[in-house]
Amino acid sequence: MPTRPLIALVLLLFVSPLVHADEPTQPLNLLIVQTDEHNFRTLGCYRNVMPDEQAFIWGKRAFVETPHIDSIAARGALATSYYATSPVCTPSRASFFSGRYPQNTGSPANDMPLNNDVVTFGKVLQARGYATGYAGKWHLDGSGKPQWQPSRTFGFADNRFMFNRGHWKKFAIVDGQPQVAARNAQDKPTYNLDNADAESFSTDWLTTRAIEFIEQHRDEPFCYHLSLPDPHGPNTVRPPYDEMYRDLPIRPPLTYGNTELPRPGWIGGTRRGDVRFNAALMAKYFGMVRCIDDNVGRLLKKLDDLGLRERTAVVFTADHGDLCFEHGRLNKGNPYEGSARIPMIVYVPGRTPAGLVIEEALGTVDFAPTILSLLDAPAPAGTQGRDASALWTGDAAADWHDITFLRNAGPKPQWVAAVSDRFKLVVSVSDEPWLFDLQTDPDELINQHGRASLETVEQQLAQELLAYGKANQDPHVAEEKINADLKRLAGE
């Protein structure tokens, strides 16, 4: 007859697993780091999947090492053709959080507030029991600047450290309230560095707020969005990052100062209006990126220290790009790759295969339904973006619809675009259509419009744009010249 210890062992081996099998599994946490105006080529994981002439456009030795961001891609997946649905802060963010196209969010242009009826992915997760929070730039509540803690939270319950607008460099907590710590003689907030250090510099300070939230909610599912205002200008950063890349041999991109080929009317201005190349400005931009990467390292270490790495989905992305002197321009607002293409790196424990590279074209409008699906949560009513979760798990069917749509910011139509992983069609009010072959012409110098061998490609993209405009009520597609050009290209 078995002894009591032996009976206990049998019960432990055969009964205990059945009990645990019936216990609910805690949902995965979600941590998002979103930067502002970030050129994807500054990340090592993107350079690794590009030919050298595209990876090192500022020179073979002019690059930033980003080991911590790269480690997220190594564990998870990155997308090589991810686009800001409208490459300006407010409309791109509106699509990112809502899964709707900008014209249907209330925020098709900068400083236009998000409609009250918008349901963000944060709101969905909050309703499912997540602790939710947000720190950093929001830019979806109108013109307030900095406007801490907007009254409409859109599902981000702890938004004490959310501010609406601005690219401030130094923060502090005074009498329990956050404030911009760099002030002028009239006690108004400024963008000055004002001797910001590792405690007060914006990237560090906001990351610390994220770490505090994670520590507080370590035992429950959480969703936290860290929105860093860098590397958007002004191109200033605290020591030692301000001098870290000063001596790099940084040269203009190959597309800078090109006067031999015609260029699109939709870029605006003339070559006389091109910005003057400034290597020192790029060195500070690199410094901002390195500071961001080091703070991503702080976040990942905190997840490891708390045993949360395998319970937390991590996303690194940006709202839009920065041309960084490509085509003689800085910043964003047009459909060139440097402006509209963004980093999108996603690690979901147990879902994303390590090192996966996704080539299909996607947009910020697709983010909300996709991340919710990866977390086994439903997309809200009114979602217009696609659930691309099958791409991120490596299970996508071969017939995935490989086209995303872009539009200029603002109520006045200027251009619309349809993009696949290879081709980009831009139709505007100011020029003939432009068709780029991103495989043979990654610098986007040559207009392939009208080439007989690409007639079918151009026709398909035009048909797709017309169908998108009708399905999603985009007045830009309905604009007289744009619509006429699209119908002609589509064969209607």
Side-chain angles (χ1 to χ4, degrees):
M1 184 174 181
T3 64
R4 288 185 183 274
L6 184 55
I7 294 173
L9 178 61
V10 171
L11 289 173
L12 180 64
L13 291 174
F14 292 97
V15 178
S16 182
L18 296 176
V19 173
H20 287 295
D22 293 333
E23 292 179 357
T25 302
Q26 181 168 306
L28 290 175
N29 308 315
L30 175 61
L31 174 62
I32 300 173
V33 180
Q34 184 177 43
T35 55
D36 194 339
E37 205 162 280
H38 196 158
N39 189 293
F40 60 90
R41 290 184 180 90
T42 61
L43 303 180
C45 52
Y46 276 88
R47 292 194 301 273
N48 290 342
V49 296
M50 303 170 69
D52 282 0
E53 59 270 19
Q54 288 301 307
F56 301 100
I57 64 168
W58 303 286
K60 187 67 175 178
R61 292 167 52 202
F63 63 89
V64 188
E65 292 182 343
T66 53
H68 303 296
I69 296 169
D70 298 347
S71 74
I72 305 172
R75 283 176 172 261
L78 68 79
T80 60
S81 299
Y82 215 104
Y83 292 89
T85 301
S86 183
V88 174
C89 296
T90 294
S92 177
R93 290 167 182 264
S95 285
F96 180 87
F97 286 102
S98 71
R100 302 183 191 180
Y101 286 99
Q103 67 271 19
N104 301 317
T105 64
S107 302
N110 272 354
D111 305 341
M112 296 183 69
L114 204 60
N115 286 341
N116 286 327
D117 69 343
V118 168
V119 179
T120 69
F121 61 81
K123 185 68 174 178
V124 172
L125 295 178
Q126 182 188 39
R128 294 174 71 85
Y130 278 67
T132 59
Y134 193 109
K137 179 182 168 182
W138 175 237
H139 213 167
L140 290 170
D141 204 51
S143 59
K145 184 179 180 180
Q147 190 191 345
W148 292 97
Q149 197 171 352
S151 60
R152 300 183 305 154
T153 66
F154 287 98
F156 296 100
D158 183 353
N159 73 340
R160 292 170 296 159
F161 306 110
M162 173 193 281
F163 60 87
N164 187 51
R165 287 179 62 211
H167 295 90
W168 321 101
K169 297 294 182 173
K170 185 178 182 181
F171 293 124
I173 298 177
V174 178
D175 296 328
Q177 299 299 317
Q179 72 168 30
V180 178
R183 322 286 291 189
N184 63 17
Q186 290 75 42
D187 198 34
K188 301 294 184 183
T190 75
Y191 287 173
N192 294 337
L193 272 174
D194 191 26
N195 298 313
D197 57 20
E199 300 296 324
S200 60
F201 182 67
S202 57
T203 298
D204 307 280
W205 189 89
L206 290 166
T207 301
T208 298
R209 307 287 81 79
I211 288 172
E212 291 170 349
F213 181 94
I214 292 169
E215 290 174 334
Q216 181 182 354
H217 298 282
R218 59 191 294 180
D219 295 324
E220 59 184 319
F222 64 79
C223 164
Y224 201 78
H225 192 99
L226 175 59
S227 178
L228 301 174
D230 279 357
H232 190 292
N235 287 20
T236 55
V237 62
R238 70 167 175 87
Y241 304 100
D242 56 342
E243 301 291 335
M244 196 174 285
Y245 300 97
R246 180 186 61 183
D247 297 328
L248 282 185
I250 304 174
R251 62 164 174 76
L254 293 176
T255 58
Y256 178 85
N258 187 305
T259 60
E260 298 178 0
L261 295 170
R263 65 177 180 179
W266 39 257
I267 195 175
T270 65
R271 287 193 171 90
R272 289 185 178 181
D274 285 357
V275 293
R276 185 179 182 87
F277 180 72
N278 186 330
L281 201 68
M282 282 306 304
K284 295 291 178 61
Y285 189 90
F286 288 172
M288 289 190 287
V289 172
R290 182 56 184 265
C291 183
I292 289 168
D293 186 74
D294 284 348
N295 276 277
V296 168
R298 291 177 62 205
L299 287 168
L300 297 179
K301 183 177 185 302
K302 178 56 62 174
L303 293 178
D304 283 341
D305 290 347
L306 297 177
L308 296 177
R309 179 73 76 97
E310 296 308 314
R311 289 171 45 198
T312 304
V314 179
V315 175
F316 184 90
T317 188
D319 57 357
H320 52 75
D322 187 330
L323 283 163
C324 292
F325 297 102
E326 291 183 78
H327 303 279
R329 292 290 190 268
L330 288 172
N331 306 334
K332 68 283 185 179
N334 60 63
Y336 276 134
E337 292 286 277
S339 163
R341 185 173 157 193
I342 62 172
M344 180 60 73
I345 305 166
V346 177
Y347 168 60
V348 182
R351 302 297 302 274
T352 48
L356 179 67
V357 176
I358 298 164
E359 297 180 344
E360 288 83 356
L362 297 163
T364 48
V365 71
D366 301 317
F367 178 77
T370 300
I371 197 64
L372 288 172
S373 179
L374 288 169
L375 296 176
D376 297 318
T383 296
Q384 296 168 321
R386 299 169 294 174
D387 173 6
S389 57
L391 292 176
W392 293 95
T393 59
D395 298 323
D399 61 351
W400 172 263
H401 197 59
D402 184 27
I403 296 177
T404 193
F405 305 100
L406 286 65
R407 70 195 302 270
N408 71 273
K412 184 177 180 180
Q414 296 174 357
W415 57 265
V416 295
V419 188
S420 71
D421 69 323
R422 177 172 178 178
F423 295 102
K424 179 188 296 181
L425 174 66
V426 185
V427 181
S428 75
V429 300
S430 56
D431 204 348
E432 65 177 341
W434 276 71
L435 178 68
F436 294 112
D437 184 340
L438 300 174
Q439 179 174 299
T440 63
D441 176 33
D443 291 318
E444 299 176 289
L445 294 172
I446 302 169
N447 188 4
Q448 306 281 357
H449 166 60
R451 179 164 293 190
S453 61
L454 296 177
E455 181 179 356
T456 300
V457 170
E458 200 165 26
Q459 181 182 49
Q460 179 189 5
L461 292 175
Q463 291 171 346
E464 295 281 358
L465 265 170
L466 287 170
Y468 147 79
K470 182 177 181 180
N472 298 286
Q473 304 83 47
D474 191 340
H476 286 19
V477 174
E479 191 277 333
E480 184 176 2
K481 180 184 180 302
I482 290 176
N483 195 258
D485 281 349
L486 285 173
K487 287 183 175 178
R488 174 173 55 82
L489 294 175
E492 294 187 7

